[in-house]
Amino acid sequence: MYKRVRLKDTVEVPPAELGEVTPRLVKRLLQDKLEGRMDEEVGSVVSVTEVHDIGEGTVLPNRPGVYYEAEFDAVTYDPQMQEVVDGTVVEVVEFGAFVGIGPVDGLLHVSQISDEYLAFDGENQRLSSNESDRALGVEDAVRARIVTKSIDERNPRDSKIGLTAKQVGLGKHGWLEEEREKREATAGE
């Protein structure tokens, strides 16, 4: 879920940037420091949007810069447990598909895609069923639910989000459309 939040953080202004410490300078330094970072409390910082307050500068021994505490607005993405998300398959591997949901990827394990057995086709980067003509590949749009979440603040790329698509109303968008058309056809009979 995307949120607009007000945060406080400390930013180092390097000696070459000292002079007039402006909100524009502090915003750029905060963007460099925070954007793309994962935090357990706020999620992933997508963008620092506006600086509201810059505190007094503090000099620390043996450090060349000046440190300022700043209050600012940011847009964050914080995946919530049980949240239904739409995303795009960015990679298919033998054990499932990685789905881009906002600024992070979630894993849709092969066991959580369908009740049918899905075979991995590495040459075409897809998982496909022998029982039906259904296949899931790169760039396919999917709807899934977040079932696990483990955020690693030190190494955001190591954060893990687990997804499932094995419920009514979840799965590849094309499959959902097929099911809707079938229901409409049987309802019209």
Side-chain angles (χ1 to χ4, degrees), residues 162-188:
L163 306 170
T164 186
K166 284 183 72 171
Q167 294 173 321
V168 175
L170 302 179
K172 180 177 170 179
H173 284 200
W175 301 343
L176 298 174
E177 183 65 25
E178 288 172 12
E179 290 170 12
R180 186 184 62 78
E181 289 171 2
K182 284 180 190 175
R183 282 193 309 273
E184 288 175 356
T186 56

mmCIF file of all heavy atoms in Angstrom, residues 162-188:
data_model
loop_
_atom_site.group_PDB
_atom_site.id
_atom_site.type_symbol
_atom_site.label_atom_id
_atom_site.label_comp_id
_atom_site.label_asym_id
_atom_site.label_seq_id
_atom_site.Cartn_x
_atom_site.Cartn_y
_atom_site.Cartn_z
ATOM 1 N N GLY A 162 6.082 -13.154 0.078
ATOM 2 C CA GLY A 162 5.472 -14.345 -0.504
ATOM 3 C C GLY A 162 4.049 -14.044 -0.928
ATOM 4 O O GLY A 162 3.306 -13.360 -0.228
ATOM 5 N N LEU A 163 3.676 -14.560 -2.096
ATOM 6 C CA LEU A 163 2.356 -14.320 -2.676
ATOM 7 C C LEU A 163 1.615 -15.632 -2.912
ATOM 8 O O LEU A 163 2.239 -16.678 -3.058
ATOM 9 C CB LEU A 163 2.502 -13.595 -4.026
ATOM 10 C CG LEU A 163 3.306 -12.303 -4.040
ATOM 11 C CD1 LEU A 163 3.550 -11.844 -5.474
ATOM 12 C CD2 LEU A 163 2.577 -11.231 -3.257
ATOM 13 N N THR A 164 0.291 -15.539 -2.993
ATOM 14 C CA THR A 164 -0.524 -16.672 -3.413
ATOM 15 C C THR A 164 -1.543 -16.184 -4.433
ATOM 16 O O THR A 164 -1.978 -15.036 -4.384
ATOM 17 C CB THR A 164 -1.253 -17.356 -2.243
ATOM 18 O OG1 THR A 164 -1.906 -18.533 -2.740
ATOM 19 C CG2 THR A 164 -2.269 -16.457 -1.583
ATOM 20 N N ALA A 165 -1.883 -17.071 -5.357
ATOM 21 C CA ALA A 165 -2.916 -16.761 -6.354
ATOM 22 C C ALA A 165 -3.915 -17.914 -6.429
ATOM 23 O O ALA A 165 -4.619 -18.068 -7.415
ATOM 24 C CB ALA A 165 -2.282 -16.514 -7.719
ATOM 25 N N LYS A 166 -3.993 -18.727 -5.373
ATOM 26 C CA LYS A 166 -4.843 -19.920 -5.381
ATOM 27 C C LYS A 166 -6.190 -19.700 -4.714
ATOM 28 O O LYS A 166 -6.663 -20.554 -3.993
ATOM 29 C CB LYS A 166 -4.110 -21.078 -4.712
ATOM 30 C CG LYS A 166 -3.034 -21.681 -5.589
ATOM 31 C CD LYS A 166 -2.372 -22.854 -4.934
ATOM 32 C CE LYS A 166 -3.300 -24.039 -4.911
ATOM 33 N NZ LYS A 166 -2.626 -25.262 -4.474
ATOM 34 N N GLN A 167 -6.786 -18.551 -4.948
ATOM 35 C CA GLN A 167 -8.116 -18.293 -4.418
ATOM 36 C C GLN A 167 -8.962 -17.675 -5.519
ATOM 37 O O GLN A 167 -8.434 -17.143 -6.495
ATOM 38 C CB GLN A 167 -8.047 -17.343 -3.222
ATOM 39 C CG GLN A 167 -7.337 -17.952 -2.042
ATOM 40 C CD GLN A 167 -7.118 -16.939 -0.932
ATOM 41 O OE1 GLN A 167 -6.815 -15.797 -1.186
ATOM 42 N NE2 GLN A 167 -7.274 -17.394 0.295
ATOM 43 N N VAL A 168 -10.256 -17.726 -5.327
ATOM 44 C CA VAL A 168 -11.167 -17.128 -6.301
ATOM 45 C C VAL A 168 -10.854 -15.650 -6.417
ATOM 46 O O VAL A 168 -10.660 -14.955 -5.432
ATOM 47 C CB VAL A 168 -12.637 -17.340 -5.858
ATOM 48 C CG1 VAL A 168 -13.584 -16.618 -6.800
ATOM 49 C CG2 VAL A 168 -12.952 -18.828 -5.791
ATOM 50 N N GLY A 169 -10.766 -15.174 -7.658
ATOM 51 C CA GLY A 169 -10.495 -13.766 -7.913
ATOM 52 C C GLY A 169 -9.020 -13.432 -7.988
ATOM 53 O O GLY A 169 -8.665 -12.278 -8.201
ATOM 54 N N LEU A 170 -8.152 -14.438 -7.824
ATOM 55 C CA LEU A 170 -6.714 -14.221 -7.920
ATOM 56 C C LEU A 170 -6.151 -15.033 -9.070
ATOM 57 O O LEU A 170 -6.705 -16.056 -9.447
ATOM 58 C CB LEU A 170 -6.018 -14.635 -6.616
ATOM 59 C CG LEU A 170 -6.460 -13.948 -5.337
ATOM 60 C CD1 LEU A 170 -5.689 -14.495 -4.147
ATOM 61 C CD2 LEU A 170 -6.295 -12.442 -5.435
ATOM 62 N N GLY A 171 -5.031 -14.584 -9.629
ATOM 63 C CA GLY A 171 -4.360 -15.306 -10.707
ATOM 64 C C GLY A 171 -3.991 -14.377 -11.841
ATOM 65 O O GLY A 171 -4.076 -13.147 -11.731
ATOM 66 N N LYS A 172 -3.599 -14.972 -12.939
ATOM 67 C CA LYS A 172 -3.255 -14.204 -14.135
ATOM 68 C C LYS A 172 -4.512 -13.487 -14.624
ATOM 69 O O LYS A 172 -5.595 -14.066 -14.649
ATOM 70 C CB LYS A 172 -2.720 -15.156 -15.203
ATOM 71 C CG LYS A 172 -2.321 -14.492 -16.490
ATOM 72 C CD LYS A 172 -1.747 -15.526 -17.453
ATOM 73 C CE LYS A 172 -1.552 -14.959 -18.836
ATOM 74 N NZ LYS A 172 -0.981 -15.971 -19.758
ATOM 75 N N HIS A 173 -4.373 -12.232 -14.999
ATOM 76 C CA HIS A 173 -5.540 -11.447 -15.417
ATOM 77 C C HIS A 173 -6.306 -12.117 -16.555
ATOM 78 O O HIS A 173 -7.537 -12.106 -16.560
ATOM 79 C CB HIS A 173 -5.115 -10.040 -15.818
ATOM 80 C CG HIS A 173 -4.820 -9.165 -14.638
ATOM 81 N ND1 HIS A 173 -4.807 -7.814 -14.713
ATOM 82 C CD2 HIS A 173 -4.510 -9.451 -13.342
ATOM 83 C CE1 HIS A 173 -4.515 -7.286 -13.541
ATOM 84 N NE2 HIS A 173 -4.317 -8.273 -12.694
ATOM 85 N N GLY A 174 -5.610 -12.715 -17.511
ATOM 86 C CA GLY A 174 -6.273 -13.415 -18.612
ATOM 87 C C GLY A 174 -7.120 -14.575 -18.121
ATOM 88 O O GLY A 174 -8.218 -14.825 -18.629
ATOM 89 N N TRP A 175 -6.639 -15.306 -17.128
ATOM 90 C CA TRP A 175 -7.400 -16.419 -16.556
ATOM 91 C C TRP A 175 -8.636 -15.907 -15.838
ATOM 92 O O TRP A 175 -9.713 -16.506 -15.911
ATOM 93 C CB TRP A 175 -6.562 -17.230 -15.584
ATOM 94 C CG TRP A 175 -5.315 -17.836 -16.166
ATOM 95 C CD1 TRP A 175 -5.017 -18.008 -17.491
ATOM 96 C CD2 TRP A 175 -4.195 -18.338 -15.443
ATOM 97 N NE1 TRP A 175 -3.791 -18.585 -17.636
ATOM 98 C CE2 TRP A 175 -3.258 -18.807 -16.392
ATOM 99 C CE3 TRP A 175 -3.891 -18.434 -14.090
ATOM 100 C CZ2 TRP A 175 -2.031 -19.360 -16.016
ATOM 101 C CZ3 TRP A 175 -2.678 -18.994 -13.722
ATOM 102 C CH2 TRP A 175 -1.766 -19.455 -14.677
ATOM 103 N N LEU A 176 -8.501 -14.789 -15.141
ATOM 104 C CA LEU A 176 -9.649 -14.205 -14.431
ATOM 105 C C LEU A 176 -10.723 -13.764 -15.410
ATOM 106 O O LEU A 176 -11.917 -13.948 -15.164
ATOM 107 C CB LEU A 176 -9.196 -13.023 -13.570
ATOM 108 C CG LEU A 176 -8.198 -13.357 -12.451
ATOM 109 C CD1 LEU A 176 -7.713 -12.089 -11.780
ATOM 110 C CD2 LEU A 176 -8.813 -14.307 -11.450
ATOM 111 N N GLU A 177 -10.309 -13.213 -16.535
ATOM 112 C CA GLU A 177 -11.262 -12.789 -17.576
ATOM 113 C C GLU A 177 -11.981 -14.002 -18.166
ATOM 114 O O GLU A 177 -13.196 -13.970 -18.372
ATOM 115 C CB GLU A 177 -10.522 -12.012 -18.670
ATOM 116 C CG GLU A 177 -11.402 -11.465 -19.752
ATOM 117 C CD GLU A 177 -12.372 -10.398 -19.266
ATOM 118 O OE1 GLU A 177 -12.094 -9.730 -18.247
ATOM 119 O OE2 GLU A 177 -13.425 -10.243 -19.913
ATOM 120 N N GLU A 178 -11.249 -15.098 -18.429
ATOM 121 C CA GLU A 178 -11.864 -16.330 -18.940
ATOM 122 C C GLU A 178 -12.926 -16.846 -17.967
ATOM 123 O O GLU A 178 -14.016 -17.241 -18.383
ATOM 124 C CB GLU A 178 -10.806 -17.419 -19.135
ATOM 125 C CG GLU A 178 -9.861 -17.206 -20.286
ATOM 126 C CD GLU A 178 -8.720 -18.225 -20.282
ATOM 127 O OE1 GLU A 178 -8.775 -19.223 -19.525
ATOM 128 O OE2 GLU A 178 -7.758 -18.010 -21.045
ATOM 129 N N GLU A 179 -12.601 -16.864 -16.678
ATOM 130 C CA GLU A 179 -13.539 -17.352 -15.667
ATOM 131 C C GLU A 179 -14.779 -16.458 -15.584
ATOM 132 O O GLU A 179 -15.897 -16.948 -15.446
ATOM 133 C CB GLU A 179 -12.846 -17.442 -14.303
ATOM 134 C CG GLU A 179 -11.814 -18.551 -14.251
ATOM 135 C CD GLU A 179 -10.947 -18.517 -13.008
ATOM 136 O OE1 GLU A 179 -11.277 -17.763 -12.066
ATOM 137 O OE2 GLU A 179 -9.935 -19.237 -12.989
ATOM 138 N N ARG A 180 -14.589 -15.156 -15.699
ATOM 139 C CA ARG A 180 -15.722 -14.221 -15.675
ATOM 140 C C ARG A 180 -16.633 -14.453 -16.876
ATOM 141 O O ARG A 180 -17.852 -14.509 -16.742
ATOM 142 C CB ARG A 180 -15.233 -12.771 -15.658
ATOM 143 C CG ARG A 180 -16.361 -11.758 -15.482
ATOM 144 C CD ARG A 180 -15.878 -10.323 -15.561
ATOM 145 N NE ARG A 180 -15.287 -9.978 -16.835
ATOM 146 C CZ ARG A 180 -15.982 -9.712 -17.949
ATOM 147 N NH1 ARG A 180 -17.289 -9.764 -17.921
ATOM 148 N NH2 ARG A 180 -15.375 -9.403 -19.069
ATOM 149 N N GLU A 181 -16.047 -14.658 -18.048
ATOM 150 C CA GLU A 181 -16.837 -14.918 -19.259
ATOM 151 C C GLU A 181 -17.611 -16.226 -19.137
ATOM 152 O O GLU A 181 -18.765 -16.314 -19.566
ATOM 153 C CB GLU A 181 -15.930 -14.924 -20.493
ATOM 154 C CG GLU A 181 -15.415 -13.545 -20.873
ATOM 155 C CD GLU A 181 -14.356 -13.571 -21.965
ATOM 156 O OE1 GLU A 181 -14.028 -14.662 -22.469
ATOM 157 O OE2 GLU A 181 -13.865 -12.479 -22.312
ATOM 158 N N LYS A 182 -17.003 -17.255 -18.537
ATOM 159 C CA LYS A 182 -17.689 -18.538 -18.335
ATOM 160 C C LYS A 182 -18.902 -18.361 -17.399
ATOM 161 O O LYS A 182 -19.967 -18.894 -17.663
ATOM 162 C CB LYS A 182 -16.756 -19.584 -17.733
ATOM 163 C CG LYS A 182 -15.781 -20.169 -18.705
ATOM 164 C CD LYS A 182 -14.904 -21.206 -17.988
ATOM 165 C CE LYS A 182 -13.750 -21.633 -18.864
ATOM 166 N NZ LYS A 182 -12.833 -22.530 -18.134
ATOM 167 N N ARG A 183 -18.699 -17.594 -16.325
ATOM 168 C CA ARG A 183 -19.809 -17.363 -15.384
ATOM 169 C C ARG A 183 -20.937 -16.613 -16.068
ATOM 170 O O ARG A 183 -22.114 -16.930 -15.857
ATOM 171 C CB ARG A 183 -19.316 -16.560 -14.160
ATOM 172 C CG ARG A 183 -18.550 -17.392 -13.148
ATOM 173 C CD ARG A 183 -18.364 -16.640 -11.829
ATOM 174 N NE ARG A 183 -17.824 -15.305 -11.965
ATOM 175 C CZ ARG A 183 -16.530 -14.996 -12.003
ATOM 176 N NH1 ARG A 183 -15.644 -15.943 -11.892
ATOM 177 N NH2 ARG A 183 -16.134 -13.742 -12.120
ATOM 178 N N GLU A 184 -20.610 -15.617 -16.870
ATOM 179 C CA GLU A 184 -21.631 -14.837 -17.573
ATOM 180 C C GLU A 184 -22.367 -15.709 -18.588
ATOM 181 O O GLU A 184 -23.583 -15.571 -18.757
ATOM 182 C CB GLU A 184 -21.012 -13.620 -18.260
ATOM 183 C CG GLU A 184 -20.580 -12.545 -17.302
ATOM 184 C CD GLU A 184 -19.858 -11.385 -17.975
ATOM 185 O OE1 GLU A 184 -19.621 -11.450 -19.201
ATOM 186 O OE2 GLU A 184 -19.529 -10.424 -17.265
ATOM 187 N N ALA A 185 -21.657 -16.611 -19.266
ATOM 188 C CA ALA A 185 -22.268 -17.483 -20.249
ATOM 189 C C ALA A 185 -23.243 -18.463 -19.574
ATOM 190 O O ALA A 185 -24.336 -18.706 -20.097
ATOM 191 C CB ALA A 185 -21.200 -18.242 -21.041
ATOM 192 N N THR A 186 -22.842 -19.025 -18.434
ATOM 193 C CA THR A 186 -23.732 -19.969 -17.750
ATOM 194 C C THR A 186 -24.894 -19.252 -17.081
ATOM 195 O O THR A 186 -25.969 -19.814 -16.938
ATOM 196 C CB THR A 186 -22.963 -20.804 -16.700
ATOM 197 O OG1 THR A 186 -22.321 -19.945 -15.781
ATOM 198 C CG2 THR A 186 -21.938 -21.706 -17.373
ATOM 199 N N ALA A 187 -24.691 -17.999 -16.675
ATOM 200 C CA ALA A 187 -25.779 -17.238 -16.060
ATOM 201 C C ALA A 187 -26.820 -16.836 -17.098
ATOM 202 O O ALA A 187 -27.997 -16.710 -16.785
ATOM 203 C CB ALA A 187 -25.237 -15.975 -15.378
ATOM 204 N N GLY A 188 -26.402 -16.686 -18.350
ATOM 205 C CA GLY A 188 -27.309 -16.292 -19.432
ATOM 206 C C GLY A 188 -28.098 -17.449 -20.009
ATOM 207 O O GLY A 188 -29.017 -17.257 -20.787
#
